Amino acid sequence: MINISDSATKLNSLNRRMFILATAKIIILGGIVSRLFFLQVKENKKYLTLSDKNRIREWKLPPIRGEFQDYFGNTIAGNFEAYQLHIIPEEVEDFRYVIYRVKELLELSEKQFKKIVKKKNEIQPWETLIVADNLSWEKFSKINNHLYDLNGVKPVISISRDYPYKENFTHVLGYVSQANENDLLTNENIKEKFVPGLKVGKTGLEKSFEKKLIGSNSVERYEVNAYGRRISQLAFQKGDKGETIKLTIDTKIQELSNELLKEKAGSICVMDIYTGAIIAMHSSPSFDPNSFVFGISQDEWQLIRNNPMKPLVNKSLSGNYSPGSTIKPIVALSALENEIIKPDFTVQCKGHKNPLELYGQTYHCWKKEGHGFVNLREAMKQSCDTYFYEVARRLGVDRLSVTAKKFGLGQKVFKDVFDNEKKGLVPNTEWKKNALGINWVLGETIITGIGQGFIQTTPIQLCLMTAQIANGGYKIYPKIVANDDNQYADKFTPLYKKARNIKIVQDAMFSSTNEVRGTSYRSRLDDPKYRFAGKTGTSQVKKITERDRELDLKTFQIPYEERDHALYVAFGPYKSPRYALSIIIEHGGSGGTVAAPLAKELFKMIVDRHEIRKNYNNKKYLDI
């Protein structure tokens, strides 16, 4: 018998359980729906925020580079407005159409066009593609007039480098060009301020002072539409221009140096003997640094690179040359200081036919018939090799090395200012043993006494050596930046033991230029205002054989690359010295014939401009 009451009770219990289960499902489902709704709202907010950001764009502009000025405030490396054309590929709806329109408007060659397309394929879609970096005003205006048809194209007025004196300062200033991957990897400052088209220093002072020159970026914020076109400027944060760096160089003397070295390979350096200020420093041949600012053409690059006179080499700092007879003032000074000789020490020079013989080696004087009996002054005047062979033999290379280094040879003149400066070589017995593993021999001392053999110097070192002889034998530190206030504890300390020895050498150099039979007598200036003292040098680039001596060829009869280098060092005005100079003409032949005459032209201008320089300096302090 079925109990109806029990069945009803069971049914009610089942219904309750089903109701509770259904309710729970609804609650759980409602929670999931609510959670999904919350996430969707959050996601929508996120996309809404991103959408807002997409409508505001920031443009980092290239920093404005600092300038270089000469001593008188003339701009020797400045800036100008360059008209450029930029495209950001991701902002262009139809890149193919736009780029062909640009090609048509700018009249690009097929080669230029392919280069742009290749560049576009090498960058990310959001990176700036520089289509043209130095447009004429006519073409820049043309682009602006057709912007309605050039979606995503941005005409830009940028600041770029300009070298108004062209080749005159190239080896001092160096040049700028577009920053490359290596610049970004090795220089954090460049990496931080990088924008497409950024120009940075590649060589010279442009590179050395990059941190001071580069400046900081300006930043623009724009509201843009869906196509990336600017609607309105929201903000502008102005960056700081780089520092202006003033040099000690006088442009007029620098230009004269360039003119005197035209069609020659060589160097001219001019220095204030008391302050160490560089008045001129020119290396020839040079080239126009403006060619590198926007990228040099392959043809022009090959012409510079393959020029046998090596215009890319800064000969003033990187040229290592045997000093030849320009070393003789230091040899004489070292012998006097070490009390090896006295000024009246005399040697007989018998010329080519009766050379000095030591251990089976013969050492010739340059003069065929010889100089006869000569003392120190006469030997310096006529540049007698035989005399200095004997002095060097008695002195020894180690003592000579000490004196030469004291006066600036064998070490960098500008320390770390120029990364391409060479230190040269002043040899001694220890150096040869360490470097070559063999002992020094007497014959090497003999030829070192006339500036041949292992000894290597740079033109700027020879200029410093001469300056420190000219100022009475006191240590100076050359500088090329006018406001270089570095303090040196040993500045102006005496480099001599006896001041009289410096006077003896100065007087001997005077005789070489201003007395009959002097090797630079024909280059003298009789006016006491301009009169200077100097020493010629002729540096051999190959060993002279007996055959060569017999032929006795004139310089023009010898192949160019086998001709001697011509050198000259000098200081003046003699009565009250203020400036020293060094001149080298590669493969020029005789220093007295080729290099010394240039000093005559230089000293006229150097002395005349001294008053202008002094007055300018006084006015500067009065203005303060």
Side-chain angles (χ1 to χ4, degrees):
M1 185 175 174
I2 300 171
N3 190 326
I4 297 173
S5 176
D6 288 344
S7 297
T9 302
K10 287 178 182 178
L11 183 61
N12 288 336
S13 176
L14 181 63
N15 288 337
R16 277 197 303 272
R17 283 199 298 271
M18 288 177 67
F19 176 77
I20 291 167
L21 185 61
T23 304
K25 285 181 177 179
I26 290 167
I27 291 169
I28 290 167
L29 187 61
I32 292 170
V33 170
S34 298
R35 179 64 179 162
L36 288 171
F37 178 76
F38 172 77
L39 289 173
Q40 186 63 46
V41 169
K42 188 177 179 182
E43 193 71 10
N44 287 343
K45 283 184 178 178
K46 177 180 142 185
Y47 281 113
L48 183 61
T49 305
L50 285 174
S51 177
D52 286 342
K53 284 185 178 177
N54 280 341
R55 289 191 292 106
I56 298 170
R57 292 283 175 86
E58 277 192 356
W59 274 270
K60 193 161 69 168
L61 305 179
I64 299 176
R65 197 168 182 82
E67 299 179 348
F68 280 106
Q69 295 179 348
D70 76 350
Y71 184 77
F72 296 98
N74 301 305
T75 299
I76 54 178
N79 302 308
F80 75 99
E81 287 187 345
Y83 303 119
Q84 301 183 345
L85 188 63
H86 296 182
I87 297 177
I88 298 175
E90 73 169 4
E91 296 179 2
V92 179
E93 292 175 67
D94 187 346
F95 184 83
R96 182 181 173 80
Y97 171 77
V98 167
I99 201 66
Y100 272 98
R101 281 289 288 134
V102 167
K103 179 189 177 186
E104 180 187 341
L105 291 167
L106 297 184
E107 299 170 13
L108 298 175
S109 68
E110 198 61 35
K111 186 178 178 181
Q112 290 172 314
F113 180 71
K114 285 179 179 178
K115 189 176 177 183
I116 293 165
V117 173
K118 183 185 175 188
K119 200 189 301 181
K120 183 257 182 185
N121 294 331
E122 291 171 350
I123 65 171
Q124 300 296 335
W126 57 85
E127 291 182 329
T128 300
L129 171 65
I130 299 176
V131 175
D133 54 11
N134 190 24
L135 288 170
S136 66
W137 173 249
E138 182 187 359
K139 288 185 176 178
F140 188 69
S141 302
K142 200 173 184 181
I143 288 291
N144 277 280
N145 290 335
H146 288 81
L147 278 180
Y148 65 88
D149 193 31
L150 299 170
N151 179 35
V153 169
K154 295 178 174 63
V156 175
I157 299 177
S158 184
I159 302 296
S160 201
R161 205 54 157 174
D162 177 48
Y163 300 99
Y165 293 94
K166 298 184 178 179
E167 76 276 8
N168 284 283
F169 286 92
T170 303
H171 290 103
V172 174
L173 298 175
Y175 59 85
V176 300
S177 195
Q178 287 201 29
N180 57 30
E181 188 177 353
N182 185 58
D183 295 319
L184 299 178
L185 290 172
T186 57
N187 192 314
E188 279 297 320
N189 198 35
I190 292 174
K191 183 179 178 181
E192 178 192 334
K193 293 166 182 178
F194 178 76
V195 292
L198 176 68
K199 309 289 192 301
V200 298
K202 297 292 184 176
T203 61
L205 296 180
E206 289 277 26
K207 183 178 181 182
S208 303
F209 291 107
E210 182 64 37
K211 190 173 181 180
K212 289 185 175 183
L213 290 164
I214 195 169
S216 60
N217 304 86
S218 293
V219 178
E220 294 177 335
R221 296 187 78 207
Y222 279 93
E223 183 180 4
V224 298
N225 63 17
Y227 300 107
R229 288 181 178 169
R230 299 177 187 185
I231 299 170
S232 61
Q233 184 173 327
L234 302 177
F236 177 75
Q237 180 184 326
K238 187 174 175 60
D240 295 320
K241 183 180 177 179
E243 292 182 29
T244 294
I245 298 175
K246 190 173 186 177
L247 304 186
T248 58
I249 290 179
D250 183 335
T251 297
K252 293 294 183 185
I253 300 173
Q254 186 78 4
E255 286 179 319
L256 176 60
S257 301
N258 180 40
E259 191 61 36
L260 292 172
L261 290 174
K262 271 279 190 287
E263 297 181 7
K264 300 178 182 75
S267 162
I268 290 176
C269 301
V270 183
M271 184 186 299
D272 186 307
I273 67 173
Y274 295 112
T275 67
I278 302 300
I279 309 303
M281 187 171 73
H282 187 67
S283 175
S284 177
S286 186
F287 55 89
D288 186 352
N290 291 302
S291 299
F292 286 83
V293 174
F294 297 106
I296 191 167
S297 71
Q298 191 63 27
D299 289 345
E300 192 175 354
W301 169 243
Q302 290 303 326
L303 280 173
I304 293 172
R305 187 184 175 196
N306 298 324
N307 187 328
M309 289 187 174
K310 300 180 180 177
L312 291 170
V313 176
N314 183 343
K315 297 173 180 66
S316 302
L317 303 177
S318 305
N320 271 333
Y321 305 96
S322 298
S325 294
T326 61
I327 198 70
K328 288 175 180 175
I330 287 294
V331 177
L333 180 62
S334 187
L336 291 167
E337 289 280 280
N338 287 286
E339 298 181 347
I340 302 300
I341 64 166
K342 292 182 178 179
D344 59 358
F345 172 70
T346 303
V347 170
Q348 184 182 13
C349 172
K350 297 179 181 178
H352 281 183
K353 292 180 180 179
N354 297 282
L356 174 68
E357 290 191 27
L358 285 170
Y359 304 105
Q361 292 289 324
T362 56
Y363 302 91
H364 299 263
C365 187
W366 66 268
K367 193 172 183 181
K368 185 182 282 188
E369 63 274 19
H371 294 97
F373 288 94
V374 289
N375 61 16
L376 189 152
R377 192 174 190 274
E378 199 63 31
M380 188 79 75
K381 180 199 293 187
Q382 299 188 56
S383 200
C384 175
D385 290 336
T386 301
Y387 184 90
F388 284 94
Y389 290 149
E390 180 59 21
V391 172
R393 185 185 72 80
R394 293 175 178 231
L395 176 63
V397 73
D398 288 337
R399 284 184 287 207
L400 173 57
S401 175
V402 170
T403 307
K405 287 175 181 175
K406 265 189 193 178
F407 278 78
L409 305 185
Q411 54 203 317
K412 290 184 178 182
V413 170
F414 293 109
K415 309 306 179 204
D416 298 322
V417 175
F418 292 92
D419 64 1
N420 60 344
E421 183 179 3
K422 299 237 177 111
K423 62 184 291 187
L425 173 63
V426 176
N428 55 28
T429 53
E430 184 183 6
W431 166 81
K432 188 183 178 190
K433 187 69 175 175
N434 292 338
L436 305 178
I438 51 178
N439 291 325
W440 189 268
V441 296
L442 181 60
E444 291 163 342
T445 300
I446 302 296
I447 61 174
T448 302
I450 63 162
Q452 297 293 156
F454 292 115
I455 188 167
Q456 296 281 287
T457 57
T458 64
I460 194 65
Q461 287 173 349
L462 292 175
C463 189
L464 174 59
M465 174 196 81
T466 309
Q468 292 180 140
I469 291 172
N471 71 17
Y474 295 96
K475 187 174 183 63
I476 60 170
Y477 285 88
K479 63 176 186 177
I480 200 163
V481 177
N483 55 357
D484 179 358
D485 297 321
N486 286 333
Q487 299 297 317
Y488 300 98
D490 60 345
K491 189 175 182 181
F492 298 130
T493 55
L495 301 172
Y496 56 80
K497 294 175 185 175
K498 294 180 180 178
R500 178 172 175 269
N501 292 331
I502 297 287
K503 293 288 185 187
I504 291 167
V505 172
Q506 289 177 342
D507 177 60
M509 292 175 72
F510 175 84
S511 72
S512 179
T513 303
N514 296 283
E515 294 180 4
V516 177
R517 295 195 303 276
T519 53
S520 54
Y521 179 66
R522 284 179 296 177
S523 298
R524 73 192 183 284
L525 288 167
D526 291 326
D527 187 339
K529 178 183 177 181
Y530 302 108
R531 192 177 291 154
F532 57 93
K535 182 70 197 78
T536 56
T538 303
S539 170
Q540 295 172 17
V541 298
K542 65 183 281 284
K543 186 175 180 179
I544 298 176
T545 64
E546 286 302 321
R547 173 73 173 155
D548 292 331
R549 293 185 195 283
E550 288 171 15
L551 289 172
D552 195 22
L553 298 173
K554 301 293 183 186
T555 299
F556 70 88
Q557 296 174 308
I558 302 169
Y560 175 79
E561 65 278 3
E562 294 182 9
R563 297 174 190 171
D564 297 335
H565 296 322
L567 298 94
Y568 190 62
V569 295
F571 64 90
Y574 181 72
K575 285 295 182 185
S576 183
R578 188 58 195 255
Y579 299 101
L581 58 77
S582 68
I583 300 169
I584 181 165
I585 308 298
E586 288 187 356
H587 307 295
S590 163
T593 304
V594 178
L598 306 188
K600 186 175 182 178
E601 298 299 317
L602 281 162
F603 269 113
K604 286 179 184 176
M605 180 176 280
I606 291 167
V607 173
D608 284 341
R609 290 192 64 78
H610 172 71
E611 285 301 315
I612 299 170
R613 194 177 182 90
K614 192 168 73 173
N615 292 337
Y616 178 83
N617 197 45
N618 291 339
K619 182 180 181 298
K620 184 175 70 176
Y621 286 111
L622 285 172
D623 288 344
I624 293 170

